């Protein structure tokens, strides 16, 4: 092997440019592949993964301390696969509408419901408290900061020492068990994980098992994680397919470029191969030389790319997963293994095919192939071009791509795919933002007030919806207050009721709007808004999941009461478990319910903080709740798309660069000859850059329609898979000037890739060229 | 010097490239220690003939036997081993490997036969000294002059003590003086017993180095004569 090794090592060391190009392309491609696969793998079930990682509770239960002892609970809990608790629990009321369900817990770890303490630290002595906050949505206006002091009227002062997140939403805050004991807890919390927890039935039977033998009436409330899951999975699932498309595009482009670079190295090495053969290298030895020559930089590039891909994917994933409150998220090991094995294999394969061709070539032919790059091909194109009125350097340049049709085709394919993905990326980005804006109702609702016990949200609330509202004024008085406060444009009150779809065990959340529902930003895609009692509007996903359509009648149940309602319209929003209705319908179901939520749209230019303060001055019990999610996940998807597009563009430009390097190197003698008959360096540059700009233009012209077609196919198909409807207006995202910019981008990518090698070709002196031939 | 056994034996060799016939029924014997020059017009098939002997390509029909080995019976690997051990080749355009220094280019030939790097370099250096290019050993081919490159190529061809040294226009790319140096080198080699097959346009090279002259026209042997060397 020593002769093979000497030759390969010398080639790697001496052909620095080729070695670097292979290394860089492989590194970038590997990065792209790792990011894409990592995102695909992780985003396929983000909620489940986050839940599994944090050992989220399958069931959060709350028991009456007066009816059941900790010991009884611990004994009964033996039926669960894992258990945390018993923990003392008490609702703490800090005034100003801020009341939280606090749990006494010694640490953030444990077998169930591991908490992500993402800011500050866990309390270690009485007088300290940690609040439950989602790392992503926390930090809005008026949110409580670490270091703040809270106290119940007449109670001890608690310092907020940290913020933690529970994927199980098991509590609003945590204190040390000693502090909880001092508070005299009213109920006991138990957190369970079951061996079988995929369906509602399994959770129900799990619950039956862990409560068997307990005194009757001791269970105050229980919350299944399936409810959280249903609420959480909607949005990300919508975007997984988009990531998928990009993952695959990145993969294909990477494969094309790597194949082009590597096979180019082999083709350019024909004379080299011929010499090796004449010296007595066996075909296998020649193959080994070429495999080693390309594999050395490829393996280094692959290793670097895997590391970079992990770092990048990890930061993207961690951001994406913050939604679920999970800590650091990594790329699954199989992705790294696949990249580390797959990419070198791919490189070897793309070196192998042309090397096999070289192997079949007789040594005599291989040697002459080096000194005379196959003429003949492209002669006709060249002859035709020379008849045109173009400057000779331009027409010569335009003829260059025809001399190496296979290489030109691979380069073109990479440029086309590059432009396709840029087009698709921009289109996806625009459609996604439009969709997100519409679906999130951003812009329609500026401020949302809650009259309920806002902080009691997390964890089972024994008192349920019957709890007295925190608001001090009556419902009509609150509405009037908000309307009369300066800056208000529209105020839409609503009440939410948990209900059940008749004939099923499916839980729904029904929002009943009072007054004109058009001001809260929902877009009706089919049918109309409700205009009388017994009418509802639902989402596409709601209809799909139940096989219903607009015009059908469904039954809503609550507290043993059934009310038939008719679906009169379909609106644009993601949730499949939310139903919109009106106050007249609420009157049929639960008359005398007060509105808990007020969605306010302000006049343009109004100071939101001032408005909120003015309203709270009128009723201190009203709490501002976080408005519509600005779409963190969309932001991450967009960031990913931009990143992948940039990398695709870079790799495509490198592909062009490589092709030009190979072409000019092969044509060195021609270039020397052209210069010797009087071509200026500038003309040589024009010729070489023209050859690639033409490819760029063709790439742009082919890539754009492909990108648009892909966008047209991908978005509806993916929307379909995600059970949302994307209205047609969201597909029209390509104005003509934008398309012109894309064509220019294609030309620019190609010209940039061609520039450096063209310049160096223009600068080589004739003597140097002729000396070496 | 026409006695001794036949080292190269071509029988009725025909070579076609698609439609065109490059060699048409060529039979030729070369004996140990002979120096045969092949001459003829451009495109007559001289380089093709050399490729057949070198095992760089296979005849369409006919047989080539060198040093008792029938090349037709060898597979690709067998041919490679044959080239490695039995022949040395010199080209008009040198065909050195640009990535390796002059010395490593030469040492490579020995490394191929299993010699490890340092003895291979030692033997290469001996050849460099004999050929008067020892001071150029660490230079890469691109920086060598044509004559120096050809001498490196000769050293490489001699590395494995080949049964036949094949040369295709060895002086074709060189000026008169460099050409003469290479000629002298070949003559010296032949005089110490190296069998030589030489393709050339150069009458002077032929008459000076060769003991026999073969004329090829249109792929056929048109004439043969033994020469009285002028040198
Ligand atoms: N690889 C090849 N493919 C097709 N035809 C070839 C090939 N090699 C040689 N030929 C043809 O075979 C014929 C003989 O070529 P060859 O190279 O042997 O000529 P030559 O005598 O060496 O010429 P010159 O003196 O110009 O070098 C020519 O017509 C040539 O075109
Ligand atoms: Mg010839």
């Amino acid at each position: 092997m020593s002769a093979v090794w000497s030759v390969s090592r010398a080639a790697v060391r001496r052909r620095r440019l080729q070695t670097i190009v292979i290394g860089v392309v492989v590194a970038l491609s590997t990065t792209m592949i790792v990011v894409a696969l990592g995102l695909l793998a992780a985003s396929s079930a983000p909620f489940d993964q986050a839940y599994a990682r944090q050992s989220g509770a399958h069931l959060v239960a709350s028991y009456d301390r007066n009816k059941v002892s900790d010991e009884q609970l611990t004994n009964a809990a033996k039926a669960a696969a894992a258990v945390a608790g018993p923990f003392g629990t008490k609702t703490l009321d800090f005034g100003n509408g801020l009341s939280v369900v606090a749990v006494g817990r010694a640490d953030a770890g444990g077998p169930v419901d591991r908490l992500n303490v993402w800011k500050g630290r866990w309390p270690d002595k009485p007088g300290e408290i940690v609040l439950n906050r989602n790392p992503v949505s926390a930090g809005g206006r008026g949110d409580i900061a670490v270091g703040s002091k809270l106290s119940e009227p007449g109670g001890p002062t608690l310092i907020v020492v940290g913020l933690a997140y529970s994927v199980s939403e098991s509590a609003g805050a945590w204190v040390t068990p000693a502090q909880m004991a001092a508070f005299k807890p009213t109920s006991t919390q138990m957190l369970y994980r079951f061996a079988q927890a995929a369906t509602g039935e399994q959770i129900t039977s799990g619950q039956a098992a862990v409560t068997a033998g307990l005194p009757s009436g001791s269970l105050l409330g229980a919350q299944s994680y399936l409810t959280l899951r249903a609420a959480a999975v909607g949005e990300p699932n919508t975007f997984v397919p988009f990531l998928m498309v990009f993952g695959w595009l990145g993969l294909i482009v990477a494969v094309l470029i790597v194949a082009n670079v590597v096979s180019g190295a082999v083709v350019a090495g024909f004379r080299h191969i011929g010499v090796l053969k004449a010296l007595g290298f066996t075909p296998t030895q020649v193959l080994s030389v070429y495999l080693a020559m390309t594999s050395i930089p490829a393996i280094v590039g692959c290793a670097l790319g895997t590391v970079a891909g992990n770092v990048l994917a990890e930061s993207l994933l961690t951001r994406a997963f913050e939604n679920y409150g999970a800590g650091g998220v990594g790329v699954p090991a199989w992705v790294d293994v696949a990249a580390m094995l797959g990419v070198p294999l791919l490189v070897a394969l793309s070196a192998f095919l042309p090397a096999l061709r070289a192997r079949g070539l007789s040594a005599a032919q291989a040697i002459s192939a080096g000194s005379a790059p196959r003429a003949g091909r492209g002669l006709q194109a060249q002859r035709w071009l020379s008849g045109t009125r173009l400057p000779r350097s331009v027409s010569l340049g335009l003829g260059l791509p025809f001399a190496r049709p296979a290489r030109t085709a691979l380069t073109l394919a990479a440029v086309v795919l590059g432009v396709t993905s840029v087009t698709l990326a921009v289109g996806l980005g625009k459609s996604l933002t439009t969709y997100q804006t519409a679906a999130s109702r951003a812009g329609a609702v500026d401020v949302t007030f809650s009259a309920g016990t806002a902080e009691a949200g997390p964890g089972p609330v024994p008192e349920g919806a019957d709890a007295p509202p925190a608001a001090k004024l009556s419902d009509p008085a609150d509405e009037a207050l908000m309307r009369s406060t300066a800056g208000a444009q529209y105020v839409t009150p609503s009440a939410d009721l948990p209900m059940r779809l008749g004939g099923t065990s499916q839980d729904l959340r029904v929002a009943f709007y009072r007054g004109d529902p058009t001001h809260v930003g929902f877009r009706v895609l089919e049918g109309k808004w409700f205009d009388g009692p017994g009418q509802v509007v639902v989402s596409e996903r709601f209809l799909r999941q139940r096989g219903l359509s607009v015009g059908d009648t469904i039954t809503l149940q609550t507290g043993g009461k059934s009310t038939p309602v008719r679906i009169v319209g379909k609106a644009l929003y993601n949730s499949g478990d939310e139903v919109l209705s009106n106050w007249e319908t609420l009157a049929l179901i639960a008359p005398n319910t007060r509105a808990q939520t007020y969605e306010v749209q302000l006049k343009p230019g109004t100071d939101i903080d001032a408005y909120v303060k003015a309203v709270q001055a009128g009723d201190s019990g009203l709490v501002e709740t976080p408005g519509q999610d600005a779409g963190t996940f969309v932001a991450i998807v967009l960031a990913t798309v931009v990143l992948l597009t940039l990398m695709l563009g870079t790799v495509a430009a490198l592909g062009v660069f490589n092709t030009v390097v190979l072409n000019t190197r092969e044509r060195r003698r021609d270039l020397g000859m052209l210069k010797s008959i009087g071509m200026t360096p500038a003309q040589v540059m024009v010729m070489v850059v023209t050859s690639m700009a033409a490819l760029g233009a063709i790439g742009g012209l082919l890539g754009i329609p492909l990108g648009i077609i892909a966008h047209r196919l991908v978005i509806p198909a993916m929307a379909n898979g995600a059970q949302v409807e994307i209205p047609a207006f969201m597909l029209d995202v390509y104005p003509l000037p934008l398309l012109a910019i894309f064509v220019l981008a294609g030309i620019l990518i190609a010209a940039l890739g061609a520039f450096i090698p063209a310049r160096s070709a223009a600068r080589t002196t004739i003597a140097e060229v002729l000396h070496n031939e | 010097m026409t006695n001794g056994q036949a080292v190269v034996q071509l029988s009725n060799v025909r070579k076609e490239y698609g439609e065109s016939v490059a060699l048409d029924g060529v039979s030729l014997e070369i004996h140990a220690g002979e120096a045969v020059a092949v001459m003829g017009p451009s495109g007559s098939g001289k380089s093709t003939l050399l490729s057949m002997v070198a095992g760089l390509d296979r005849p369409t029909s006919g047989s080539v036997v060198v040093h008792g080995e029938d090349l037709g019976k060898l597979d690709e690997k067998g041919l490679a081993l044959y080239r490695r051990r039995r022949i040395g080749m010199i080209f008009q355009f040198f065909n050195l490997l640009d990535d390796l220094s002059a010395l490593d280019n030469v040492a490579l030939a020995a490394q191929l036969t299993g010699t490890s790097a340092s003895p291979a370099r030692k033997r290469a250096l001996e050849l460099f000294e004999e050929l008067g290019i020892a001071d150029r050993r660490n230079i890469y081919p691109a920086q060598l002059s044509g004559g120096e490159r050809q001498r490196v190529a000769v050293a490489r061809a001699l590395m494995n003590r080949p049964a036949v040294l094949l040369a295709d226009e060895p002086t074709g790319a060189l000026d008169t003086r460099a050409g003469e140096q290479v000629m002298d080198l070949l003559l010296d080699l032949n005089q110490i017993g190296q069998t030589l097959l030489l393709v050339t346009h150069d009458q002077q090279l032929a008459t000076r180095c060769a003991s026999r002259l073969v004329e090829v026209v249109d792929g056929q042997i048109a004439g043969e004569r033994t020469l009285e060397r002028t040198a």
Side-chain angles (χ1 to χ4, degrees):
Chain A
M1 267 321 253
S2 90
V4 167
W5 180 239
S6 307
V7 173
S8 326
R9 204 184 39 183
V12 168
R13 239 181 325 125
R14 297 266 300 165
R15 303 179 187 189
R16 239 170 258 149
L17 193 65
Q18 177 185 306
T19 303
I20 289 173
V21 167
I22 292 179
V24 170
V25 166
V26 170
L28 275 178
S29 308
T30 312
T31 307
M32 215 146 57
I33 289 169
V34 169
V35 169
L37 286 181
L39 287 176
L40 290 187
S43 58
S44 58
F47 177 83
D48 294 339
Q49 293 198 18
Y51 219 78
R53 205 168 305 108
Q54 305 296 110
S55 297
H58 290 140
L59 189 74
V60 177
S62 164
Y63 297 93
D64 190 336
R65 281 183 91 80
N66 299 321
K67 295 191 175 147
V68 63
S69 72
D70 284 0
E71 205 181 345
Q72 285 173 300
L73 288 173
T74 308
N75 281 331
K78 293 205 171 93
V83 64
F87 301 131
T89 305
K90 192 182 184 217
T91 302
L92 302 179
D93 192 344
F94 299 118
N96 256 350
L98 178 62
S99 93
V100 298
V101 175
V103 167
R105 201 169 149 172
D107 65 279
V112 182
D113 189 30
R114 281 200 284 271
L115 308 175
N116 171 18
V117 184
W118 55 275
K119 196 166 187 185
R121 59 173 177 81
W122 190 250
D124 53 18
K125 55 179 177 292
E128 296 179 341
I129 188 168
V130 156
L131 300 178
N132 184 18
R133 285 286 184 282
N134 185 316
V136 168
S137 50
R141 262 172 313 110
D143 211 357
I144 298 161
V146 171
S148 312
K149 293 191 168 89
L150 300 171
S151 65
E152 280 194 297
T157 300
L158 298 170
I159 298 181
V160 179
V161 293
L163 300 175
Y165 187 65
S166 157
V167 281
S168 328
E169 294 286 359
S170 58
W174 295 272
V175 295
T176 60
Q179 176 67 64
M180 183 47 67
F183 279 138
K184 304 212 166 26
T186 52
S187 55
T188 308
Q189 179 181 73
M190 293 292 288
L191 307 169
Y192 306 101
R193 277 179 76 81
F194 302 124
Q196 304 283 317
T199 65
E201 285 77 48
Q202 289 171 339
I203 299 281
T204 309
S205 72
Q207 177 175 336
V210 295
T211 54
L214 297 179
S216 73
S218 57
L219 180 66
L220 294 172
Q223 173 182 281
S224 154
Y225 86 108
L226 292 176
T227 318
L228 295 175
R229 188 173 191 276
V233 293
E235 183 167 297
N237 275 2
T238 317
F239 304 114
V240 169
F242 301 126
L243 287 178
M244 200 106 85
V245 172
F246 263 83
W248 285 115
L249 261 178
L251 220 100
I252 295 170
V253 173
V255 168
L256 274 176
I257 305 275
V258 167
N260 196 19
V261 170
V262 174
S263 64
V266 175
V267 173
F270 270 7
R271 190 186 68 100
H272 186 242
I273 291 171
V275 175
L276 293 179
K277 284 190 161 184
L279 276 176
F281 275 72
T282 62
T284 316
Q285 285 176 316
V286 172
L287 255 178
S288 313
V289 166
Y290 272 77
L291 287 183
M293 223 163 97
T294 46
S295 298
I296 293 167
I299 286 170
V300 173
C302 178
L304 291 178
T306 307
V307 171
N310 272 281
V311 170
L312 253 172
E314 192 156 338
S315 82
L316 280 172
L317 285 173
T318 305
R319 297 261 301 122
F321 273 58
E322 276 173 350
N323 264 337
Y324 307 103
V329 180
V331 172
W334 69 262
V335 170
D336 288 341
V337 173
M340 293 292 274
L341 295 180
V343 172
L345 199 74
L346 173 76
V347 172
L349 201 70
S350 39
F352 196 71
L353 296 178
L356 267 188
R357 207 177 78 181
R359 183 184 197 260
L361 216 64
S362 83
Q365 275 171 309
I367 290 184
S368 57
S371 51
R374 269 165 289 161
R377 284 162 163 194
L379 275 185
Q380 247 168 344
Q382 202 51 278
R383 196 171 305 142
W384 177 80
L385 281 164
S386 68
T388 62
R389 278 157 182 255
L390 293 167
R392 201 64 190 98
S393 53
V394 171
S395 63
L396 276 173
L398 289 175
L400 279 182
F402 295 96
R404 285 248 174 248
R407 180 183 300 164
T408 302
L410 277 174
T411 313
L412 188 62
V415 174
V416 167
L417 279 184
V419 174
T420 303
S421 45
V422 171
T423 311
L424 181 59
V426 172
L428 279 180
K430 289 182 77 174
S431 291
L432 279 184
T433 358
T434 325
Y435 178 80
Q436 185 61 24
T437 313
S440 76
R441 308 189 279 132
V445 178
D446 297 314
V447 185
T448 306
F449 287 107
S450 167
T453 48
E455 282 295 329
V461 186
E463 300 93 330
D466 301 330
K472 305 282 188 284
L473 303 179
S474 72
D475 180 9
D478 273 334
E479 184 180 349
L481 166 68
M482 286 175 217
R483 285 192 190 283
S484 61
T485 304
Q489 176 109 321
Y490 304 110
V491 177
T492 315
S494 62
D496 277 6
L497 278 189
M499 301 190 81
R500 181 155 290 190
L501 186 62
T504 73
S505 60
Q506 292 168 9
D507 291 320
L508 301 176
R509 226 191 72 202
V510 188
F512 298 94
Y513 283 94
R514 186 162 73 210
D516 189 346
T518 59
H519 300 313
V520 289
F522 288 111
R523 195 185 275 266
V524 171
L525 299 175
E526 193 187 334
K528 59 176 177 75
W529 277 113
F530 23 71
D531 52 11
Q535 299 183 356
V536 293
V537 167
V538 296
S539 67
E540 170 78 10
R541 188 176 292 166
F542 180 94
L543 293 175
R544 294 267 194 108
Q545 285 176 351
R546 297 165 182 86
L548 296 167
S549 53
V550 172
D552 289 349
T553 297
I554 53 172
T555 309
L556 296 177
Q557 297 177 327
T558 183
K561 188 171 172 184
S562 291
T563 312
V565 293
R566 204 161 67 83
I567 300 172
V568 295
K570 177 173 79 180
L572 178 62
Y573 62 92
N574 284 337
S575 169
D577 310 300
E578 264 184 74
V579 173
L580 309 179
S581 189
N582 55 3
W583 210 254
E584 292 89 321
T585 308
L586 180 64
L588 300 176
I589 297 164
N592 305 324
T593 307
R594 78 157 282 169
Q596 300 129 4
T597 307
Y598 302 86
E599 290 172 326
V600 183
Q601 185 180 339
L602 299 176
K603 292 189 180 116
T606 308
D607 179 354
I608 300 182
D609 279 327
Y611 180 81
V612 171
K613 281 213 178 75
V615 170
Q616 284 176 334
D619 181 346
S620 62
L622 288 174
V623 178
E624 189 201 354
T625 58
Q628 288 299 321
D629 189 338
T632 330
F633 204 84
V634 176
I636 290 157
V637 170
L638 288 182
T640 313
V641 164
V642 167
L643 192 86
L644 289 178
T645 309
L646 278 179
M647 288 171 91
L648 278 174
T650 311
V651 170
L654 268 176
V656 173
F657 173 79
N658 176 67
T659 299
V660 176
V661 169
L662 291 176
N663 281 349
T664 51
R665 195 171 283 164
E666 269 177 27
R667 301 251 148 191
R668 226 167 20 182
R669 190 156 55 170
D670 298 8
L671 293 177
M673 181 275 291
L674 286 171
K675 281 193 195 170
S676 73
I677 59 170
M679 200 177 230
T680 66
Q683 281 173 314
V684 172
M685 284 259 324
V686 167
M687 181 178 86
V688 175
V689 172
T690 305
S691 69
M692 287 298 118
L695 280 196
I698 298 172
L701 291 176
L702 289 178
I704 290 171
L706 281 180
I708 295 178
I709 292 170
H711 180 258
R712 288 266 164 176
L713 291 177
V714 159
I715 291 223
M718 298 311 173
N720 194 20
Q723 299 181 325
V724 297
E725 179 169 317
I726 301 245
F729 75 91
M730 289 181 192
L731 291 178
D732 295 327
V733 291
Y734 294 110
L736 265 178
L738 189 67
L739 298 184
I741 290 176
F742 289 162
V743 178
L744 284 179
I747 297 177
L748 207 72
I749 287 180
L752 272 182
F755 182 75
I756 296 174
R759 198 180 51 179
S760 86
R763 282 182 184 168
T764 9
T765 62
I766 302 164
E768 209 178 315
V769 172
L770 298 180
H771 175 71
N772 281 311
E773 288 301 336
Chain B
M1 286 189 99
T2 48
N3 46 3
Q5 63 190 114
V7 179
V8 177
Q9 199 163 17
L10 283 87
S11 319
N12 209 12
V13 170
R14 183 181 171 86
K15 177 68 184 175
E16 297 164 7
Y17 288 109
E19 298 284 274
S20 75
V21 181
L23 289 179
D24 185 8
V26 170
S27 298
L28 180 68
E29 266 187 21
I30 300 170
H31 297 271
E34 259 195 307
V36 176
V38 179
M39 296 192 74
S42 183
S44 56
K46 306 183 293 293
S47 296
T48 308
L49 175 62
L50 215 60
S51 301
M52 297 298 125
V53 178
L56 290 178
D57 216 342
R58 292 171 187 279
T60 312
S61 65
S63 80
V64 182
V65 180
V66 180
H67 212 264
E69 261 180 307
D70 185 347
L71 303 194
K73 296 213 170 80
L74 298 175
D75 59 4
E76 279 301 312
K77 184 172 177 189
L79 276 180
L81 297 181
Y82 157 75
R83 286 194 291 266
R84 196 182 283 182
R85 300 208 185 99
R86 298 278 178 250
I87 59 155
M89 270 202 97
I90 311 168
F91 302 87
Q92 179 175 3
F93 294 110
F94 328 121
N95 280 334
L96 297 173
L97 294 174
D98 298 333
D99 304 330
L100 296 175
S101 69
L103 191 72
D104 285 344
N105 257 286
V106 176
L108 184 64
Q111 279 175 280
L112 268 176
T113 60
T115 315
S116 56
S118 81
R121 286 214 179 99
K122 220 174 121 218
R123 159 120 176 92
L125 195 56
E126 285 166 22
L127 278 171
F128 269 57
E129 270 154 11
E130 281 172 38
L131 302 184
I133 44 174
D135 57 329
R136 318 301 284 156
R137 61 182 180 274
N138 288 325
I139 296 189
Y140 285 87
Q143 271 93 49
L144 293 172
S145 77
E148 286 165 343
R149 282 190 226 185
Q150 198 59 298
R151 274 183 281 171
V152 173
V154 171
R156 183 178 66 181
L158 293 176
M159 204 51 187
N160 293 326
R161 301 189 173 87
V164 204
L165 184 61
L166 305 173
D168 193 346
E169 308 271 13
T171 58
L174 302 177
D175 62 32
T176 321
R177 214 180 66 80
E180 272 171 4
Q181 284 178 340
V182 170
M183 262 183 253
D184 289 343
L185 189 58
L186 293 177
L187 186 60
D188 290 349
L189 286 169
N190 181 239
Q191 274 168 354
I192 57 171
Q194 176 68 57
T195 312
L196 207 63
L197 176 57
L198 181 72
V199 166
T200 185
H201 276 120
D202 184 346
Q203 190 69 41
Q204 195 203 355
L205 173 65
T207 49
R208 201 157 141 196
C209 298
S211 53
R212 185 150 59 108
L213 199 142
V214 175
E215 277 268 342
V216 176
V217 178
D218 287 340
Q220 294 181 323
I221 295 186
E224 245 183 274
R225 67 192 154 101
T226 310
L227 293 170
E228 278 305 313
R229 276 188 240 188
T230 54

